[in-house]
Amino acid sequence: MTQYLKLFLWFAVALLGAFAVSGIALNRGESINALWLITAAVCIYAIAYRFYAAWIAAKVLVLDETRATPAERLNNGRDFIPTNKWIVFGHHFAAIAGPGPLIGPTLAAQFGYLPGTLWILIGAVLGGAVQDMVTLFFSTRRNGRSLGQMARDEIGVVGGSAALVGTFLIMIILIAVLGLVVVNAMKHSPWATSTVAATIPIAMIIGLYMRNIRPGRVLEASVIGVVLLLLSVWLGGWIDHHQDLRPLFDHGGVPLAYAIILYGFAAAVLPVWLLLAPRDYLSTFMKLGTILLLAVAIVILRPEIHMPAVTQFVDGTGPIFGGKLFPFVFITIACGAISGFHALISSGTTPKLLSNERDIRMIGYGGMLLESFVAIMAMIAATVLDPGVFFAINSPAGVVGAEAADAIAKINSWGFAVTVEQMQQLAKDMGESTLFARTGGAPSLAVGMASIFGSAFGKDMLAIWYHFAIMFEAIFILTTLDAGTRVGRFMLQDLLGNFNKKLGETSYMPSVIFTSSLVVAGWGYFLYIGVIDPNGGVNILWPLFGIANQLLAAIALCVATGILVKSGKLKFAWVTGLPLTWLVIITTTAAYEKIFSTDVRVGFFAAADDMATKLAAGLLSPEKAAVAPQLIFNQHLDAYLTLFFVIVLWVVIIDMLRLCARYLAGRPVLRLSEVPHEPSRLVENWVRD
């Protein structure tokens, strides 16, 4: 009877999810309730985790909970440390859930709510969560090796070397965009800057507390940390209204960029237990708590989605970024659907902390589903705003005009009503001087979240809610930035270790400092050029971020597919092969358009030529003319990087197909690099010989 009841309940969940998705997809002509999106997401995630993820774990990967993990076998107290599964989950989720699930859906809302929502739901369960789970499994079975090193060990020298170099350079671009979003959120906002700054010493205090002061008191430390984080929001408001302290935290983009660069270096060099792990763990409480609170507020309010299902900007004329619906909605929303960055975390810090393989499904597949839910929340928060307000916040001054009246006139001409007075009052309510042209997605998302929280829990606290949301976003992003920098260091050490074994040792301090410096210098440069861009850096860096991210996901799925075939599991290769095929189509198409399009808002070369022509004709303002040569150079650099990334992807694909063909033909291939089975001494039922 119990079995039949379970089947009935799961059938009901499936039916409810199908009904919700059809309601979202087929509704036209009137606004829909945000509750439809939440219902569809929860039902789809529940079915995917219960059945699809369980099947992959049991049949495709065959997880073995009696097998010792690298964290146990290679424990060095610095990078390899067996860690409580909930802390690992917290670290992993905090590391993967950066700006993508928040900013990508917000920016993609210029196409309407429907395209992005469908991609978030379908992409996550069939692509993103699968990639995260299989990459974590394969890295765990290979001593926590990086994605690039696994490619070299499993596919071959040619494809593997291309993947090593390509993934490292892609990583540089990804981290730069993370930093850019944080800088744009904190720029000339003392409240946001002081709050975010306070989270760093708080994390270090909790790290010391859990390791030296009160070891093992995880719950106790968690409560203290969360209370301190909440106090930091209140303290930020006090500083913002303090005449003497306010100027100390009121900075432009460039000084904030330098501060982010210094933080990234420190996070990569310091022991993981001191800053990275406690910060990510605390951040997860804040992230999950905020998302849960947002979901509760949406259930209470049932707010209407004001953005149309599909806007006129699907033709590529959108003000936030150029490009048509296909392929750019799939490029703009990477994290939240499928993100190559996750593969770097799943083959970077997480497998070095994992104490048992049985947790791979929860951490890999479950962590990605949770991030996808964050993306749904971000889509709701962005689209419950009046479209006119949404475009006023997100449209760069270079598109709609630097003056408020010009921007309002332009937005009204698109058919989205908004007034100068409305925007001024909104900025005042949020505790900001202005909300015009706050590109990057973070401010508009914070406004949407604050509006929902204010309506549910008190509108007299809008400024508090807004800056709480800014801290929430910045924590999301910085935890990914610091983990990304550390993973970048691991990747570079893996690469250099092929030439000098000493440089490949993660515990060798001269190598740690040298490689961390190179990683930070690389992404710091791209962060700087995004900060000085007159259009806010989004149009120049976010498409490159999206393309690079999806190319990286394709490389990860290439490696996974090759390993599955070599492992004699050809009949299961479709699990990674299908999302790989889709990613190859969209990334190759998007890269072609970014390189060869004659539209100055899409093509990198076209944009560079247009700016060079205007510079030569004296049509640029003195401010734009001063940075134009560097921006022209950077547009060319972006184009060549995009071309290089696509070449890397196809080299890896061709090498993987060559490997599979040789294996199926019975010809010799590289041996599997999986380490031999060793029984775990951490399993509860382990018996000493």
Side-chain angles (χ1 to χ4, degrees):
M1 184 64 183
T2 305
Q3 187 68 23
Y4 287 117
L5 180 61
K6 288 181 179 179
L7 288 173
F8 174 77
L9 289 176
W10 281 112
F11 178 76
V13 170
L15 196 62
L16 178 61
F19 181 71
V21 171
S22 64
I24 296 169
L26 300 177
N27 183 74
R28 293 292 185 276
E30 60 183 45
S31 59
I32 69 166
N33 193 295
L35 208 54
W36 286 78
L37 276 69
I38 291 182
T39 302
V42 170
C43 291
I44 289 173
Y45 298 151
I47 291 171
Y49 185 79
R50 170 61 184 84
F51 296 102
Y52 192 44
W55 176 78
I56 293 174
K59 300 296 184 182
V60 181
L61 303 180
V62 192
L63 302 183
D64 183 359
E65 67 178 34
T66 68
R67 187 186 187 110
T69 64
E72 178 183 351
R73 289 185 291 100
L74 306 176
N75 186 356
N76 62 7
R78 186 177 185 87
D79 295 315
F80 291 86
I81 307 172
T83 307
N84 179 280
K85 66 179 180 180
W86 294 111
I87 294 179
V88 179
F89 181 87
H91 155 74
H92 181 80
F93 176 70
I96 65 171
L102 298 173
I103 308 306
T106 303
L107 298 178
Q110 79 166 5
F111 293 129
Y113 69 81
L114 180 59
T117 299
L118 292 179
W119 170 233
I120 290 168
L121 296 177
I122 297 170
V125 299
L126 297 180
V130 172
Q131 175 212 236
D132 293 11
M133 183 179 177
V134 298
T135 303
L136 178 57
F137 172 78
F138 289 136
S139 180
T140 301
R141 287 283 178 95
R142 287 158 179 78
N143 283 339
R145 287 185 189 136
S146 68
L147 174 63
Q149 190 62 42
M150 283 197 295
R152 194 174 192 277
D153 294 340
E154 298 288 350
I155 294 178
V157 175
V158 176
S161 298
L164 266 173
V165 176
T167 53
F168 176 72
L169 291 178
I170 288 172
M171 181 65 146
I172 295 298
I173 301 298
L174 302 188
I175 301 174
V177 177
L178 306 181
L180 177 65
V181 176
V182 176
V183 169
N184 283 344
M186 297 193 301
K187 190 163 51 179
H188 295 299
S189 178
W191 194 334
T193 302
S194 57
T195 300
V196 172
T199 65
I200 298 172
I202 289 172
M204 297 180 73
I205 290 170
I206 298 305
L208 290 167
Y209 190 93
M210 288 194 293
R211 186 176 177 87
N212 300 112
I213 301 174
R214 300 271 286 176
R217 305 282 184 168
V218 176
L219 180 61
E220 190 177 297
S222 303
V223 172
I224 295 172
V226 170
V227 170
L228 289 176
L229 286 176
L230 294 175
L231 284 175
S232 71
V233 180
W234 173 83
L235 181 64
W238 180 76
I239 290 174
D240 188 49
H241 293 89
H242 195 285
Q243 187 175 358
D244 296 326
L245 295 178
R246 191 179 195 280
L248 298 177
F249 297 93
D250 188 357
H251 300 290
V254 174
L256 289 173
Y258 290 146
I260 295 294
I261 289 169
L262 288 174
Y263 167 74
F265 177 79
V269 172
L270 291 174
V272 69
W273 60 265
L274 180 59
L275 179 58
L276 194 67
R279 181 187 176 87
D280 291 354
Y281 178 63
L282 289 175
S283 297
T284 299
F285 277 103
M286 189 61 65
K287 292 174 182 181
L288 296 183
T290 303
I291 291 300
L292 179 62
L293 189 64
L294 188 60
V296 169
I298 290 171
V299 170
I300 293 172
L301 294 174
R302 299 188 296 280
E304 297 294 313
I305 301 292
H306 292 126
M307 186 71 71
V310 180
T311 69
Q312 67 264 41
F313 299 128
V314 294
D315 63 357
T317 60
I320 300 174
F321 60 90
K324 295 182 180 180
L325 177 66
F326 179 86
F328 287 102
V329 71
F330 306 103
I331 295 303
T332 304
I333 302 178
C335 307
I338 180 168
S339 167
F341 179 82
H342 296 190
L344 302 183
I345 302 299
S346 296
S347 62
T349 52
T350 304
K352 297 176 175 65
L353 302 175
L354 193 72
S355 59
N356 197 293
E357 283 190 6
R358 66 171 171 252
D359 302 325
I360 287 176
R361 176 183 168 216
M362 178 190 75
I363 294 169
Y365 201 96
M368 177 59 211
L369 292 185
L370 193 57
E371 174 171 327
S372 185
F373 189 64
V374 172
I376 291 292
M377 293 292 103
M379 179 64 75
I380 292 173
T383 53
V384 296
L385 293 174
D386 289 335
V389 171
F390 171 83
F391 285 110
I393 297 174
N394 284 292
S395 300
V399 174
V400 296
E403 298 299 324
D406 296 333
I408 293 299
K410 185 72 172 178
I411 294 167
N412 280 312
S413 72
W414 298 331
F416 302 121
V418 65
T419 65
V420 174
E421 293 75 21
Q422 183 182 0
M423 291 301 299
Q424 289 175 340
Q425 184 60 48
L426 185 64
K428 182 179 178 181
D429 291 342
M430 300 298 165
E432 292 290 314
S433 57
T434 182
L435 288 172
F436 277 107
R438 296 292 296 273
T439 58
S444 68
L445 177 60
V447 170
M449 291 175 63
S451 300
I452 294 173
F453 286 145
S455 298
F457 308 116
K459 287 193 172 182
D460 55 337
M461 294 176 59
L462 275 175
I464 290 285
W465 286 122
Y466 173 82
H467 287 92
F468 173 81
I470 287 290
M471 182 198 70
F472 160 77
E473 295 175 41
I475 284 178
F476 246 103
I477 297 162
L478 283 180
T479 50
T480 308
L481 183 144
D482 55 30
T485 303
R486 198 176 193 91
V487 171
R489 189 249 290 179
F490 290 150
M491 292 168 61
L492 187 55
Q493 286 182 298
D494 272 349
L495 178 62
L496 296 177
N498 292 307
F499 306 99
N500 185 306
K501 288 188 177 181
K502 201 67 177 174
L503 290 176
E505 295 179 9
T506 58
S507 57
Y508 181 51
M509 188 52 66
S511 174
V512 169
I513 295 174
F514 174 65
T515 52
S516 298
S517 300
L518 290 180
V519 172
V520 171
W523 63 255
Y525 171 77
F526 284 97
L527 170 60
Y528 175 77
I529 68 171
V531 167
I532 66 172
D533 182 9
N535 289 331
V538 172
N539 207 43
I540 193 174
L541 279 183
W542 195 269
L544 183 61
F545 168 87
I547 292 171
N549 206 356
Q550 303 292 49
L551 285 169
L552 190 54
I555 290 173
L557 290 169
C558 264
V559 175
T561 303
I563 294 176
L564 285 176
V565 172
K566 285 173 59 178
S567 303
K569 299 179 179 180
L570 177 64
K571 64 180 180 180
F572 297 131
W574 61 267
V575 172
T576 53
L578 285 181
L580 168 62
T581 302
W582 176 245
L583 285 182
V584 170
I585 292 171
I586 62 173
T587 51
T588 304
T589 304
Y592 179 85
E593 291 197 24
K594 292 303 294 184
I595 295 170
F596 297 109
S597 175
T598 56
D599 185 342
V600 298
R601 299 190 63 241
V602 177
F604 288 129
F605 285 126
D609 293 343
D610 179 69
M611 183 171 289
T613 301
K614 290 179 179 178
L615 180 63
L619 300 178
L620 298 178
S621 65
E623 294 80 10
K624 289 186 178 180
V627 297
Q630 190 163 10
L631 293 178
I632 292 169
F633 169 80
N634 292 328
Q635 292 278 12
H636 283 111
L637 180 61
D638 286 353
Y640 289 122
L641 279 174
T642 302
L643 180 61
F644 173 75
F645 292 155
V646 173
I647 291 173
V648 166
L649 172 62
W650 278 100
V651 167
V652 176
I653 291 173
I654 292 170
D655 216 17
M656 184 270 291
L657 293 175
R658 177 196 61 81
L659 169 79
C660 294
R662 288 180 63 87
Y663 177 82
L664 296 175
R667 300 171 66 186
V669 296
L670 289 174
R671 294 177 59 187
L672 287 169
S673 60
E674 182 177 303
V675 298
H677 180 282
E678 183 177 318
S680 173
R681 294 173 179 267
L682 300 178
V683 178
E684 292 178 356
N685 61 356
W686 180 83
V687 179
R688 185 175 301 278
D689 293 335

